[in-house]
Amino acid sequence: MVRIKHKRSKCIGCGYCEHLDSLMWQMDNSDGKANLIGSHQINNIFYVDIPDSELVYLKRVISICPVNVITIDK
Ligand code: SF4
């Protein structure tokens, strides 16, 4: 398992993550930022665990986010 970490407050709303992986990411019309689907929030950071088999998609999303707010939690 891999844990995704999303610093949502720093998201600039470009929509690239949703474009690449709409099963994990969805833009929120209420504030224009991305939601990490199925995540839980701890101290203003959003987390979700995914199987290793989805890591290839996650790495694409991580590399395309222009403000580097998506990381793998170690
Ligand atoms: S790619 Fe990054 S900045 Fe763009 S919407 Fe997704 S999380 Fe936000």
Side-chain angles (χ1 to χ4, degrees):
M1 295 289 273
V2 175
R3 177 159 288 187
I4 307 173
K5 181 176 174 182
H6 182 216
K7 289 183 190 169
R8 189 178 185 280
S9 62
K10 304 288 186 188
C11 169
I12 60 170
C14 69
Y16 293 159
C17 53
E18 182 191 62
H19 182 71
L20 273 184
D21 187 358
S22 60
L23 295 178
M24 288 297 309
W25 301 93
Q26 187 172 57
M27 299 309 294
D28 190 329
N29 290 334
S30 68
D31 63 3
K33 295 179 183 288
N35 288 327
L36 177 56
I37 296 170
S39 62
H40 61 280
Q41 183 179 5
I42 302 172
N43 295 331
N44 215 27
I45 309 282
F46 291 79
Y47 298 90
V48 74
D49 294 331
I50 62 165
D52 290 352
S53 58
E54 293 182 21
L55 194 53
V56 63
Y57 303 109
L58 172 61
K59 285 184 174 176
R60 285 183 196 153
V61 173
I62 287 173
S63 67
I64 205 168
C65 177
V67 285
N68 301 312
V69 296
I70 306 165
T71 54
I72 294 173
D73 192 38
K74 308 266 186 204

